[in-house]
Amino acid sequence: MENGGGLQDQWLTAEQLREWVSLMALLSMLPARLDAQLSRDAGLNLFEYHVMVELSEAPERKRAMSELARHAHGSLSRLSHAVSRLEAAGWLQRLSRRGAGRRTEVQLTDAGVAKLEQSAPGHVGEARRLVVETLTDAELAALGRAARRIVAAIDPGVAAILDPSGHDEDCLASHTEIGSHGSPCSRPNQGRFTSASGVEEQS
């Protein structure tokens, strides 16, 4: 067949397949484990927790629904369901802005802040146990950079949210100059809760 060679070139090598299968296992198992811990200990799922984290880090603890969907990495439909449940619990409230550019905003309530602070320690502990303490600092930094590069290939807008200062580009340029054995780049602290995973920074 004329296209046989081209199709053959699309298959992964044995080494690539090993890494791909490992990544798929991670993407299946880690969110499920984090979700189970939050459900058991806090009565939240991972997406709901992430929504609350994103609001906690926003000015006045509020964002427009469309903006929040992008920051929380979910569809508007999924977000609407999550907001309805969290609002019923008293942890969020919707605010309707009229006039030109009418939009719905969502704000984290004081009760929501308290719930988030109550829920964070267990989530942090699980994240540390499964990821942070399993890897060296250099491995964790490399994993984060690789994750953001993949996100950038999927949605550059989300990648810009994860790396607003362009730190990864500076790091890449630095490694190009000093060689691959230079010191690993680390990300600057973005606040009390990291926006990517909802893991509270420990002092």
Side-chain angles (χ1 to χ4, degrees):
M1 295 177 62
E2 290 184 10
N3 295 330
L7 291 175
Q8 186 66 32
D9 291 342
Q10 294 178 16
W11 293 111
L12 300 179
T13 66
E15 293 78 9
Q16 291 170 337
L17 183 61
R18 175 176 178 270
E19 307 309 339
W20 176 254
V21 171
S22 297
L23 176 60
M24 291 299 99
L26 172 64
L27 294 178
S28 296
M29 298 174 67
L30 181 59
R33 184 62 64 88
L34 295 174
D35 196 84
Q37 180 276 317
L38 280 168
S39 178
R40 181 185 68 246
D41 297 340
L44 296 169
N45 62 44
L46 187 58
F47 182 70
E48 291 168 343
Y49 181 88
H50 194 183
V51 167
M52 295 175 72
V53 167
E54 289 300 328
L55 288 173
S56 76
E57 297 182 344
E60 299 181 49
R61 304 196 311 241
K62 65 182 178 183
R63 293 189 188 276
M65 283 284 285
S66 57
E67 179 188 9
L68 181 57
R70 168 154 286 210
H71 278 257
H73 316 147
S75 67
L76 278 171
S77 176
R78 185 184 186 189
L79 177 63
S80 181
H81 285 295
V83 168
S84 293
R85 198 183 89 80
L86 296 172
E87 185 176 33
W91 299 325
L92 304 182
Q93 61 179 347
R94 298 185 207 228
L95 307 171
S96 181
R97 298 303 183 205
R98 299 184 179 276
R102 178 178 178 179
R103 65 181 188 174
T104 299
E105 294 180 331
V106 182
Q107 185 173 43
L108 187 68
T109 63
D110 290 343
V113 172
K115 177 64 176 177
L116 191 57
E117 292 178 343
Q118 177 190 38
S119 306
H123 177 65
V124 171
E126 192 76 341
R128 283 189 173 278
R129 184 178 72 84
L130 296 175
V131 180
V132 177
E133 294 175 356
T134 301
L135 305 174
T136 66
D137 289 345
E139 288 170 336
L140 183 61
L143 177 63
R145 289 195 302 276
R148 291 188 292 276
R149 288 183 66 182
I150 295 172
V151 169
I154 298 169
D155 189 330
V158 174
I161 292 172
L162 297 176
D163 186 33
S165 63
H167 183 72
D168 286 340
E169 291 298 325
D170 293 341
C171 177
L172 181 61
S174 174
H175 273 261
T176 300
E177 292 177 3
I178 65 178
S180 60
H181 298 293
S183 300
C185 298
S186 59
R187 297 189 71 208
N189 182 10
Q190 289 185 310
R192 185 173 184 183
F193 299 98
T194 60
S195 60
S197 63
V199 178
E200 187 177 12
E201 294 295 334
Q202 302 295 298
S203 58

